[in-house]
Amino acid sequence: MSMAQYARQNTVQVGGVVALIAIGVLGTLLLDLPVEALLTVGFVERSFQAAAPIALAAVGGLYAEKSGVFNVGLEGFMIFGAVNAAAIMWIVGGSSPGQSDLWIAVFASGLLTLVYVIPFAVLVIRYKANQLVAGLAVWFIGLGFGPFTAVLVWGSRNSPGLTTINDLTIPFLAEIPVLGPVLFDSSPLVLFALLVTVVAWIVLFRTRYGYWLQAAGENPEALDTAGISVTRVRYAATIFSGVMAGLGGAVLLAQAGSFTGTGETMVAGRGWIAIVAYLFGNYNPIGAAAAALLFGGLDMLQIQFQTAGISVPNKLVNLFPYVIVIVVLTIWGSTRVPSAVGESYESEE
Amino acid sequence: MSDRESTRSSEVLSRISARLQNASVLGRLAIAVASTVSALLIGLMIVAASGYDPVQFLANVFEGSFGDDAAIARTLKFTTIFVLTGVAVAVAFRAGVFNIGVQGQFIVGGFATVISILWLAPMVPEGTIGGIILMLVGFLAAAITGGAYAALPGALKAYTDTNEIITTIMLNFIAIGAVGWLVEGPFRGEDQAAANTERIPEYVAFPRLIYDVPDFSMVGLAIALVVSGVLSVLLVRTGFGYDIVTSGYQQSAAAYSGVDAKRMIVVTMTISGMVAGIAGAIFAIMIQGYYSTPGGIATYGYDAIAVSLLAANNPLGVIPAGLLFGGLDSATSFIGLNSDVPAQLIDGIVGLVVLFVAAPELFRMAARRTGMDGDD
């Protein structure tokens, strides 16, 4: 799909982004904000980092929904991903874990999410549990057992400071202005999320398996007739979505360096934002990642405001992403969801 | 409307109501009990797996919820809140709308109560009469604020087809952040070390009946029971309630009988938010006496979803379900003090209850809601 073609097919989204940028520019001009202090390379870098966990969860959720299962449990799986990553890092590396411990923790935690997502997939697909309520349940279970795990391991809902991921500097490439520091002198997990996004796009739109996935959501009968098990495709996509959300939570932890289990935990709605991201990206992995970047940028605005010396209360700036989610959903609320989403499929074998 | 059409619509309506009434009460009860028991069993297994004594834990749960007068009063205190928040969720679910935003509506409602009482207190005579006037004002403020806070996602859902699950959750986060900021800054009490508002006057309180404890009154519980009774009558016995249910379950049938389904969504959400706001008012007046950082307030609004599901979204069924969750919450605070087992376990068990209840019961609801069911 060329850029022009994408723009033509997604006029509302493109219009929405243009409108947002216009409001932003207008706001900066009217309020006389120091633009240079706000739009720094560091800001772009931080936005990419903030976007990575959201993008991973969004790509997963997108696959599940494309296959016909609306996984609203992303938030819960992210909480498990984050707390398990912290616990594994603690077990492997003790109170001062190193970089290798961190990598082990991130990927082991992603894998461990299998333990949570497989029962969920079975309940939703095999036992036809209501996808929305089961997904909500996953969130509640995460809100309870996430901090529970933390209390078991550290005696407190929050973990002590562990370690954060080191930047990866790729020689020469890092010298490129703007792009260099953002991509080649930054968290390698950002590169990982980018890689996942691109691969997800290729698989979804350029391979036979991607075609099956789309058929499972749009026209399960046809896929069944073609001799492919709809149920199997849906299991794969749902389990994949949970693992990606778990990885997203683990990546979030690797960037924060410690687990916060108070209130609504450190995940703080990113799983829900991931759902909006892929809706906004119109079920296109690259669009979803771009939307995640938008939310990541909003999330990081507070640091920019602080460094630029603009006195807006932190708590209010932190609300930007949530407000934008509502605006985005409203402007472009009626998504064209895959037609068989929410419907369990009964094979005629 | 032609005769043929009205015959047809009344046929559709009677079929729906027949199906609703015939839905086996026993079956629902069985699901509720089985879900709770399974969730508790898994909870006990987790207790055992993490190296604690499950029998001791169970004993602590019972002692903490119904062990003595103090425990019972504490249980009833939480029950009061759960019955109201549970009814709030149930009203929306009845109309096929997922109001996950009860927590946010509860928070803005409670905050509005405290602020309106603090503002008006100097203008009203002190003493019992003044207290009653102030409480009425507080309740009114809570109902209006909570209702308005729920009407917004309702209107967005009705007129722009925006997914209310996501908008209501975002509004929860916004309520926590915004009220948090208000409590920390503009409305922080002068003599408060922590980020709290000032205390509301002493005489703005429910009388202590039966249980002489500072944060529970039978009056609060009575209000909760009356609200659930009123809403039950409203939903089950009146034409208005009938319209709510049909507009949720059968949009075309609702249209036949001249009901504007979109408007009903907004109205239902408003009612739901008003009840959530009233729950917030009781929380503020009866339990807290001031308003604190909402991030630290228990997740009554989320647990209420479990309460409502367990009650099969019946405003009267919410009472026993609310008692169960009140007991669990009461046990949580007891276990937090008297046992090594992390009390967060119980929050997880609540999630498990939702998961189990969800499986059979709510499938029907989602099918109706998305209009994919055809019939049964």
Side-chain angles (χ1 to χ4, degrees):
Chain A
M1 219 186 314
S2 75
M3 285 286 277
Q5 215 181 341
Y6 180 81
R8 258 200 309 282
Q9 285 175 4
N10 301 282
T11 38
V12 186
Q13 280 96 324
V14 173
V17 171
V18 170
L20 276 176
I21 293 172
I23 291 169
V25 169
L26 208 67
T28 12
L29 288 180
L30 284 179
L31 299 171
D32 198 23
L33 296 179
V35 183
E36 276 172 38
L38 285 179
L39 288 177
T40 58
V41 173
F43 174 53
V44 180
E45 200 180 323
R46 278 190 290 278
S47 302
F48 267 83
Q49 289 179 13
I54 302 174
L56 288 171
V59 166
L62 182 156
Y63 264 52
E65 188 155 341
K66 270 278 178 193
S67 83
V69 176
F70 189 11
N71 182 357
V72 290
L74 295 181
E75 175 89 5
F77 292 121
M78 282 185 86
I79 297 176
F80 280 120
V83 74
N84 289 339
I88 294 168
M89 213 193 292
W90 175 263
I91 292 165
V92 180
S95 55
S96 54
Q99 288 297 303
S100 57
D101 303 323
L102 181 139
W103 283 98
I104 294 170
V106 168
F107 287 98
S109 164
L111 269 183
L112 193 59
T113 319
L114 282 174
V115 176
Y116 307 94
V117 73
I118 289 174
F120 171 78
V122 172
L123 267 179
V124 167
I125 297 168
R126 170 83 176 76
Y127 294 104
K128 299 173 188 169
N130 179 302
Q131 294 174 357
L132 300 178
V133 182
L136 275 176
V138 173
W139 182 31
F140 297 148
I141 294 170
L143 280 178
F145 286 130
F148 175 78
T149 311
V151 175
L152 279 186
V153 180
W154 300 288
S156 145
R157 307 183 109 207
N158 303 330
S159 82
L162 297 164
T163 192
T164 52
I165 184 110
N166 283 348
D167 280 1
L168 173 76
T169 312
I170 299 173
F172 305 116
L173 287 177
E175 318 271 302
I176 308 170
V178 188
L179 209 62
V182 170
L183 291 182
F184 305 115
D185 185 17
S186 171
S187 163
L189 293 170
V190 168
L191 283 180
F192 172 69
L194 265 175
L195 182 74
V196 167
T197 306
V198 173
V199 172
W201 184 87
I202 293 170
V203 170
L204 189 62
F205 293 122
R206 292 286 180 273
T207 67
R208 188 199 293 245
Y209 195 78
Y211 177 73
W212 290 350
L213 242 147
Q214 302 192 49
E218 293 289 354
N219 196 345
E221 292 82 8
L223 189 63
D224 201 19
T225 315
I228 311 297
S229 162
V230 175
T231 315
R232 235 159 131 182
V233 172
R234 285 186 178 176
Y235 267 121
T238 309
I239 291 169
F240 173 73
S241 73
V243 171
M244 291 315 279
L247 260 178
V251 167
L252 185 67
L253 183 104
Q255 288 166 352
S258 65
F259 177 75
T260 314
T262 48
E264 268 139 340
T265 79
M266 67 191 297
V267 178
R270 288 183 176 81
W272 297 102
I273 290 176
I275 294 175
V276 177
Y278 74 73
L279 292 177
F280 192 42
N282 205 10
Y283 298 93
N284 180 321
I286 292 172
L293 187 59
L294 173 72
F295 291 119
L298 287 168
D299 206 11
M300 288 299 121
L301 261 186
Q302 41 143 332
I303 298 179
Q304 286 322 103
F305 277 27
Q306 260 171 16
T307 47
I310 302 164
S311 58
V312 184
N314 249 341
K315 277 218 151 114
L316 293 187
V317 181
N318 284 342
L319 300 183
F320 278 6
Y322 307 127
V323 174
I324 296 295
V325 162
I326 296 179
V327 173
V328 162
L329 270 185
T330 306
I331 297 176
W332 155 102
S334 47
T335 351
R336 201 194 57 82
V337 297
S339 57
V341 160
E343 222 171 339
S344 58
Y345 182 72
E346 205 74 68
S347 172
E348 308 282 332
E349 297 167 297
Chain B
M1 197 188 288
S2 75
D3 277 349
R4 228 180 82 209
E5 269 180 351
S6 72
T7 321
R8 200 177 146 200
S9 66
S10 69
E11 242 174 63
V12 173
L13 288 179
S14 59
R15 216 186 320 145
I16 295 167
S17 70
R19 178 156 38 122
L20 285 178
Q21 279 158 17
N22 291 343
S24 153
V25 176
L26 268 182
R28 286 179 168 175
L29 199 65
I31 291 169
V33 172
S35 311
T36 315
V37 171
S38 327
L40 275 174
L41 277 180
I42 294 187
L44 287 179
M45 273 155 57
I46 293 171
V47 169
S50 27
Y52 300 102
D53 179 2
V55 178
Q56 182 61 40
F57 175 77
L58 207 58
N60 279 339
V61 168
F62 281 114
E63 200 190 335
S65 48
F66 298 102
D68 54 23
D69 267 11
I72 294 174
R74 197 173 52 222
T75 294
L76 292 179
K77 170 179 80 182
F78 294 126
T79 303
T80 304
I81 306 296
F82 282 132
V83 168
L84 282 169
T85 49
V87 168
V89 175
V91 170
F93 274 19
R94 274 277 169 137
V97 187
F98 283 84
N99 182 7
I100 315 300
V102 168
Q103 181 78 4
Q105 295 140 22
F106 171 86
I107 287 169
V108 296
F111 179 72
T113 304
V114 170
I115 292 312
S116 60
I117 290 177
L118 286 176
W119 267 345
L120 219 67
M123 293 164 232
V124 176
E126 292 186 18
T128 317
I129 307 269
I132 291 173
I133 294 175
L134 288 177
M135 279 193 274
L136 287 177
V137 170
F139 274 100
L140 193 68
I144 292 173
T145 320
Y149 207 63
L152 174 70
L156 291 181
K157 177 186 170 57
Y159 298 106
T160 67
D161 204 12
T162 306
N163 185 323
E164 80 277 20
I165 296 183
I166 296 172
T167 52
T168 50
I169 287 170
M170 292 299 127
L171 286 168
N172 287 340
F173 285 110
I174 292 171
I176 293 169
V179 172
W181 171 70
L182 289 169
V183 171
E184 223 166 66
F187 289 95
R188 185 168 187 157
E190 276 177 21
D191 47 348
Q192 299 287 340
N196 295 330
T197 65
E198 266 168 58
R199 281 200 157 269
I200 56 174
E202 290 279 322
Y203 53 87
V204 185
F206 299 137
R208 294 186 190 180
L209 304 170
I210 306 180
Y211 298 101
D212 190 24
V213 287
D215 55 359
F216 171 69
S217 162
M218 291 304 274
V219 176
L221 181 62
I223 295 174
L225 297 181
V226 167
V227 169
S228 91
V230 167
L231 279 165
S232 177
V233 170
L234 182 81
L235 284 180
V236 181
R237 300 261 173 255
T238 66
F240 177 70
Y242 200 64
D243 291 347
I244 286 183
V245 177
T246 40
S247 65
Y249 290 154
Q250 274 281 355
Q251 289 223 358
S252 52
Y256 273 130
S257 51
V259 177
D260 181 346
K262 293 186 180 218
R263 237 191 90 232
M264 283 319 281
I265 289 175
V266 183
V267 172
T268 324
M269 276 298 278
T270 309
I271 296 175
S272 169
M274 287 167 85
V275 177
I278 290 171
I282 291 190
F283 174 78
I285 294 172
M286 186 177 85
I287 299 179
Q288 275 203 316
Y290 57 90
Y291 221 76
S292 59
T293 316
I297 290 174
T299 51
Y300 299 107
Y302 299 144
D303 295 353
I305 293 160
V307 171
S308 177
L309 290 174
L310 208 55
N313 305 326
N314 179 324
L316 286 182
V318 159
I319 296 170
L323 186 65
L324 174 75
F325 278 82
L328 281 177
D329 248 33
S330 178
T332 305
S333 42
F334 179 83
I335 288 166
L337 294 173
N338 297 290
S339 154
D340 296 337
V341 182
Q344 287 75 26
L345 175 76
I346 294 194
D347 297 334
I349 294 179
V350 167
L352 288 172
V353 172
V354 178
L355 189 65
F356 288 123
V357 173
E361 170 59 28
L362 264 147
F363 182 72
R364 240 176 302 159
M365 204 177 105
R368 288 188 196 117
R369 174 190 133 99
T370 44
M372 294 182 303
D373 61 337
D375 226 47
D376 281 30

